[in-house]
Structure formats: structure tokens, C-alpha cells
Amino acid sequence: MKYRLLLKLLVICVLIIGLTIPILMIRDLVSERSYYRDEAKQSIAASWTGAQKLLGPILVLPYAERTKSMVWDANKERKHLVEQVNERRLFVLPSNLEIDAKVRTEERSRGIYAIPVYESAIDVSGVFENKRILALLKDKAVTVHWDKAFLSMPVSDIRGIVVEPVLRWNGGDREFVSGSGIGTQGGGMMAGVGGLDVSQPARFSFSFSVQVHGMETLQFSPVGKSTRVAVQSAWRHPSFLGRYLPNERTIDEQGFSAEWRISSFSGDMARIRALCESGKCDQFFNNTFGVALIQPV
């Protein structure tokens, strides 16, 4: 009986080892394929563009703040008053933001790997209100640099903007230039704006269209007090990602359409904006949602 039990255990061990070997071989093959697919993605991204995030727009108003403090003077052995001037920026988010994106897709291949890329026509419009600006002007220690005010649109891969867009601001046209003017993650574009130095409540309407190239994913940020984003594409295999799922979506043989409606309350944008004003913009850059174009196999 003892030898029969040992024989059974030996057979079980042999079966375990025999099954482990092909499993390890399959795992190695999957790992190797994943590595080569990542290489293919990096190669395509180097000549096309990578995944895209459009974060904004944001109205940025630079200003100087004077502060006074008592500082100890060791030589005179007494305190004296010191005035300092600190350069700061006020971030104003849209009270209403509308984004409509139509995404045209194709596949780029490297060997046996096909990676979806896209060209997206994006229309952006909305309204800014000057309530925060008027509140800032009540502080007598503040000097606003009206001539340095600008509209910022951070974009994760600026190479994807192939045609220079034009900002329509309160009925006039403004040129975008390269660079977002905020944060250190990624690039973007910005346009100088004027006419903000008013003493009464005012609204500033804006709109612009931009052509964006990207790969696999397209994401946005809910910067508006009320944000609506609509995305349409003929790609039949979308995966919705990020912190917010679409309120409405349709997926069929003709492609997909999705619409998000997000408020600043649910997006916690007031806290995230305050952090970014102090130079900590990581949460702002990560507070995104959108769609990934996935391969079903």
C-alpha cells in the first residue's frame, strides 16, 4: 500500500511538471508578443503621434500680489517691515464647455501588429464668466497684468496638431501659438486675450476647431462648470476609460457614438484648480475621461 501511494504521488508530480512546461512556454510567447507589440506602438508613435489628452481650455490671468511681513534684523536687533511682490496666476474655468469630436480611424502596421490611429476633427466652444476676476480685484494688494492674459489648451502630444487653429474670442480672431503656458507635463497651445479689465459682471464667449492626430486613445478633461463631450467614430470596438463613463452611448456595425455630461461638482474641479494654481497640476492632468480604440483580438 505504501509503495502504491508513493507511485501515485510520483505520477502526480510528473503530470504537474508536464503541464507546467507548456504553460510556461505559452506565457513566454505571450510576453514576447506583448513586448514586440509595444515596440510596434512606440515605432508608430515616433512617426505619427501617441495617445492624446486635451485638457482645457483654461483662462489664465497673471497678477502680482504684494505682501508685508515683519522680519527680524540681527544687526539692529529689532524687527522691521518688509514688502514682497509675488507673481501668481488666476485660473478661470469655463462656465459652459461644449466639445464635439468626429474621429476617422485607420490602422498602421509593423510586422504582424496592426495599431489603430486616428484623425479627429474637434469643435470646442463655451463661455467664461469674470466672477473670480472681480473677486480678485477687491484685493487692493493685487496688480493684474491684463496684457498677459491668455487662453491655454494643454495637449499631451503637440505633434498631433497639424493645422494651426484660430481662436474666436468675443467676436474677434486670435492666433494660437505653441506651448500651454501652464504646468510641465506635455505641451499645448495658447492664445492671448484682451478685454478682461471690466468692472462689471461679463461673459466671454469662445470657439475654435482643431484637427488632432493620435493613436489608440483620445481623452478630455471636465474643466467646465458644465461640460458636454460628444465623440463619434466608425470604429466598432471602443472601450470607454477614465474617471467618468458616458451618459449615453451607441455601438453597432456602423461604429459608435458617446456623450458625456459632467458638472464641476462631480469633477471636483474647484479643488483641482486651486492645486494647479499653486503649481501642483498632477491631478489636473490625470482627471480625464475618453475612449480607447481597441483590437478585439
Side-chain angles (χ1 to χ4, degrees):
M1 178 65 69
K2 179 178 179 180
Y3 293 106
R4 292 180 61 186
L5 180 60
L6 291 174
L7 180 61
K8 289 180 180 179
L9 290 174
L10 180 61
V11 171
I12 291 173
C13 292
V14 171
L15 289 175
I16 291 174
I17 295 173
L19 293 173
T20 301
I21 292 174
I23 291 175
L24 291 176
M25 293 174 64
I26 293 173
R27 188 178 68 178
D28 289 343
L29 179 62
V30 171
S31 177
E32 182 183 10
R33 292 288 179 89
S34 298
Y35 172 77
Y36 286 128
R37 185 178 186 276
D38 290 341
E39 275 196 339
K41 288 173 59 177
Q42 293 175 8
S43 174
I44 294 172
S47 58
W48 181 255
T49 53
Q52 290 286 22
K53 287 184 178 181
L54 278 70
L55 311 170
I58 303 170
L59 180 59
V60 182
L61 184 63
Y63 65 94
E65 183 180 37
R66 298 183 304 277
T67 59
K68 296 180 179 180
S69 59
M70 298 299 294
V71 177
W72 175 258
D73 191 328
N75 295 326
K76 298 181 180 180
E77 296 185 346
R78 62 182 177 84
K79 290 184 177 180
H80 66 281
L81 187 65
V82 174
E83 181 176 298
Q84 293 181 328
V85 178
N86 299 309
E87 295 295 331
R88 305 189 186 280
R89 294 178 300 178
L90 181 73
F91 290 174
V92 181
L93 303 181
S95 57
N96 180 63
L97 177 63
E98 303 271 340
I99 299 177
D100 291 281
K102 292 180 172 58
V103 182
R104 184 178 65 84
T105 62
E106 60 180 281
E107 291 183 338
R108 297 291 175 92
S109 298
R110 292 291 188 274
I112 64 173
Y113 306 98
I115 308 297
V117 299
Y118 60 82
E119 178 180 344
S120 181
I122 302 176
D123 296 322
V124 182
S125 62
V127 174
F128 286 99
E129 296 180 351
N130 67 340
K131 293 179 181 179
R132 295 196 72 221
I133 298 176
L134 295 179
L136 178 68
L137 294 178
K138 294 179 180 179
D139 188 347
K140 301 302 182 182
V142 165
T143 301
V144 177
H145 306 312
W146 298 108
D147 58 327
K148 297 181 180 179
F150 63 93
L151 184 80
S152 173
M153 187 72 180
V155 180
S156 57
D157 193 340
I158 193 63
R159 295 177 304 152
I161 300 179
V162 293
V163 179
E164 182 178 340
V166 176
L167 172 66
R168 188 76 173 172
W169 177 265
N170 253 18
D173 292 341
R174 311 294 174 92
E175 291 186 359
F176 276 106
V177 297
S178 181
S180 68
I182 61 173
T184 58
Q185 299 186 26
M189 54 186 186
M190 55 189 288
V193 296
L196 302 179
D197 49 340
V198 293
S199 58
Q200 299 296 325
R203 293 164 60 89
F204 307 100
S205 60
F206 68 91
S207 65
F208 60 91
S209 298
V210 59
Q211 299 284 333
V212 178
H213 288 177
M215 183 177 69
E216 288 196 318
T217 65
L218 176 62
Q219 298 186 68
F220 306 91
S221 179
V223 296
K225 184 176 181 180
S226 172
T227 301
R228 185 191 70 84
V229 175
V231 180
Q232 293 181 341
S233 175
W235 189 264
R236 294 181 295 173
H237 308 288
S239 176
F240 302 107
L241 71 164
R243 298 189 61 187
Y244 315 94
L245 291 176
N247 301 86
E248 300 176 8
R249 59 182 178 181
T250 302
I251 306 172
D252 53 31
E253 291 299 315
Q254 283 70 48
F256 77 90
S257 62
E259 183 175 279
W260 291 260
R261 291 185 295 274
I262 304 169
S263 69
S264 60
F265 183 81
S266 62
D268 197 19
M269 286 307 302
R271 181 183 64 84
I272 294 174
R273 178 199 61 209
L275 286 173
C276 200
E277 284 178 336
S278 65
K280 302 175 182 178
C281 293
D282 289 345
Q283 290 192 40
F284 173 75
F285 285 104
N286 293 325
N287 184 38
T288 58
F289 63 94
V291 61
L293 309 176
I294 64 172
Q295 295 281 12
V297 178

